[in-house]
PDB file of all heavy atoms in Angstrom:
ATOM      1  N   THR A 234     196.358 102.131 120.876  1.00 97.00           N
ATOM      2  CA  THR A 234     196.011 101.145 119.858  1.00 97.00           C
ATOM      3  C   THR A 234     194.915 100.230 120.376  1.00 97.00           C
ATOM      4  O   THR A 234     194.494 100.335 121.530  1.00 97.00           O
ATOM      5  CB  THR A 234     197.257 100.346 119.446  1.00 97.00           C
ATOM      6  OG1 THR A 234     196.971  99.579 118.282  1.00 97.00           O
ATOM      7  CG2 THR A 234     197.712  99.450 120.585  1.00 97.00           C
ATOM      8  N   GLU A 235     194.470  99.325 119.517  1.00 96.00           N
ATOM      9  CA  GLU A 235     193.346  98.455 119.888  1.00 96.00           C
ATOM     10  C   GLU A 235     193.768  97.287 120.780  1.00 96.00           C
ATOM     11  O   GLU A 235     193.556  97.311 121.980  1.00 96.00           O
ATOM     12  CB  GLU A 235     192.642  97.935 118.629  1.00 96.00           C
ATOM     13  CG  GLU A 235     191.785  98.957 117.917  1.00 96.00           C
ATOM     14  CD  GLU A 235     190.920  98.314 116.847  1.00 96.00           C
ATOM     15  OE1 GLU A 235     190.419  97.197 117.088  1.00 96.00           O
ATOM     16  OE2 GLU A 235     190.738  98.924 115.768  1.00 96.00           O
ATOM     17  N   GLY A 236     194.349  96.250 120.187  1.00 95.00           N
ATOM     18  CA  GLY A 236     194.573  95.004 120.911  1.00 95.00           C
ATOM     19  C   GLY A 236     195.900  94.922 121.646  1.00 95.00           C
ATOM     20  O   GLY A 236     196.836  95.696 121.408  1.00 95.00           O
ATOM     21  N   PHE A 237     195.987  93.924 122.555  1.00 97.00           N
ATOM     22  CA  PHE A 237     197.198  93.729 123.357  1.00 97.00           C
ATOM     23  C   PHE A 237     198.403  93.406 122.475  1.00 97.00           C
ATOM     24  O   PHE A 237     199.495  93.966 122.660  1.00 97.00           O
ATOM     25  CB  PHE A 237     196.978  92.611 124.377  1.00 97.00           C
ATOM     26  CG  PHE A 237     198.237  92.179 125.068  1.00 97.00           C
ATOM     27  CD1 PHE A 237     198.785  92.956 126.082  1.00 97.00           C
ATOM     28  CD2 PHE A 237     198.887  91.002 124.696  1.00 97.00           C
ATOM     29  CE1 PHE A 237     199.976  92.565 126.715  1.00 97.00           C
ATOM     30  CE2 PHE A 237     200.057  90.606 125.332  1.00 97.00           C
ATOM     31  CZ  PHE A 237     200.604  91.397 126.333  1.00 97.00           C
ATOM     32  N   ALA A 238     198.244  92.494 121.535  1.00 97.00           N
ATOM     33  CA  ALA A 238     199.375  92.092 120.693  1.00 97.00           C
ATOM     34  C   ALA A 238     199.885  93.283 119.882  1.00 97.00           C
ATOM     35  O   ALA A 238     201.100  93.448 119.704  1.00 97.00           O
ATOM     36  CB  ALA A 238     198.966  90.948 119.770  1.00 97.00           C
ATOM     37  N   THR A 239     198.986  94.097 119.391  1.00 97.00           N
ATOM     38  CA  THR A 239     199.394  95.281 118.632  1.00 97.00           C
ATOM     39  C   THR A 239     200.116  96.270 119.537  1.00 97.00           C
ATOM     40  O   THR A 239     201.136  96.848 119.163  1.00 97.00           O
ATOM     41  CB  THR A 239     198.167  95.955 117.998  1.00 97.00           C
ATOM     42  OG1 THR A 239     197.466  94.995 117.204  1.00 97.00           O
ATOM     43  CG2 THR A 239     198.586  97.126 117.123  1.00 97.00           C
ATOM     44  N   GLY A 240     199.583  96.458 120.746  1.00 97.00           N
ATOM     45  CA  GLY A 240     200.242  97.357 121.692  1.00 97.00           C
ATOM     46  C   GLY A 240     201.630  96.871 122.061  1.00 97.00           C
ATOM     47  O   GLY A 240     202.581  97.668 122.155  1.00 97.00           O
ATOM     48  N   ALA A 241     201.779  95.558 122.268  1.00 97.00           N
ATOM     49  CA  ALA A 241     203.087  94.997 122.592  1.00 97.00           C
ATOM     50  C   ALA A 241     204.066  95.195 121.438  1.00 97.00           C
ATOM     51  O   ALA A 241     205.242  95.525 121.644  1.00 97.00           O
ATOM     52  CB  ALA A 241     202.937  93.507 122.916  1.00 97.00           C
ATOM     53  N   THR A 242     203.578  95.009 120.225  1.00 97.00           N
ATOM     54  CA  THR A 242     204.426  95.203 119.043  1.00 97.00           C
ATOM     55  C   THR A 242     204.919  96.640 118.957  1.00 97.00           C
ATOM     56  O   THR A 242     206.102  96.897 118.705  1.00 97.00           O
ATOM     57  CB  THR A 242     203.635  94.848 117.777  1.00 97.00           C
ATOM     58  OG1 THR A 242     203.380  93.443 117.756  1.00 97.00           O
ATOM     59  CG2 THR A 242     204.403  95.237 116.527  1.00 97.00           C
ATOM     60  N   ILE A 243     204.026  97.595 119.146  1.00 97.00           N
ATOM     61  CA  ILE A 243     204.401  99.009 119.035  1.00 97.00           C
ATOM     62  C   ILE A 243     205.408  99.385 120.123  1.00 97.00           C
ATOM     63  O   ILE A 243     206.381 100.104 119.866  1.00 97.00           O
ATOM     64  CB  ILE A 243     203.142  99.890 119.101  1.00 97.00           C
ATOM     65  CG1 ILE A 243     202.352  99.726 117.804  1.00 97.00           C
ATOM     66  CG2 ILE A 243     203.498 101.356 119.328  1.00 97.00           C
ATOM     67  CD1 ILE A 243     201.023 100.423 117.796  1.00 97.00           C
ATOM     68  N   TYR A 244     205.193  98.886 121.335  1.00 97.00           N
ATOM     69  CA  TYR A 244     206.142  99.181 122.409  1.00 97.00           C
ATOM     70  C   TYR A 244     207.512  98.593 122.093  1.00 97.00           C
ATOM     71  O   TYR A 244     208.548  99.252 122.269  1.00 97.00           O
ATOM     72  CB  TYR A 244     205.623  98.631 123.737  1.00 97.00           C
ATOM     73  CG  TYR A 244     206.638  98.752 124.843  1.00 97.00           C
ATOM     74  CD1 TYR A 244     206.924  99.994 125.414  1.00 97.00           C
ATOM     75  CD2 TYR A 244     207.339  97.627 125.281  1.00 97.00           C
ATOM     76  CE1 TYR A 244     207.891 100.100 126.417  1.00 97.00           C
ATOM     77  CE2 TYR A 244     208.290  97.732 126.286  1.00 97.00           C
ATOM     78  CZ  TYR A 244     208.569  98.980 126.844  1.00 97.00           C
ATOM     79  OH  TYR A 244     209.530  99.092 127.819  1.00 97.00           O
ATOM     80  N   GLU A 245     207.547  97.357 121.623  1.00 97.00           N
ATOM     81  CA  GLU A 245     208.819  96.711 121.315  1.00 97.00           C
ATOM     82  C   GLU A 245     209.517  97.380 120.142  1.00 97.00           C
ATOM     83  O   GLU A 245     210.750  97.384 120.052  1.00 97.00           O
ATOM     84  CB  GLU A 245     208.593  95.221 121.039  1.00 97.00           C
ATOM     85  CG  GLU A 245     208.157  94.451 122.282  1.00 97.00           C
ATOM     86  CD  GLU A 245     207.740  93.022 121.988  1.00 97.00           C
ATOM     87  OE1 GLU A 245     208.050  92.540 120.880  1.00 97.00           O
ATOM     88  OE2 GLU A 245     207.102  92.388 122.845  1.00 97.00           O
ATOM     89  N   ALA A 246     208.742  97.964 119.231  1.00 96.00           N
ATOM     90  CA  ALA A 246     209.335  98.618 118.062  1.00 96.00           C
ATOM     91  C   ALA A 246     209.848 100.018 118.366  1.00 96.00           C
ATOM     92  O   ALA A 246     210.759 100.506 117.677  1.00 96.00           O
ATOM     93  CB  ALA A 246     208.297  98.680 116.933  1.00 96.00           C
TER      94      ALA A 246
END
Side-chain angles (χ1 to χ4, degrees):
T234 191
E235 286 191 38
F237 170 77
T239 305
T242 292
I243 288 174
Y244 173 73
E245 292 172 15

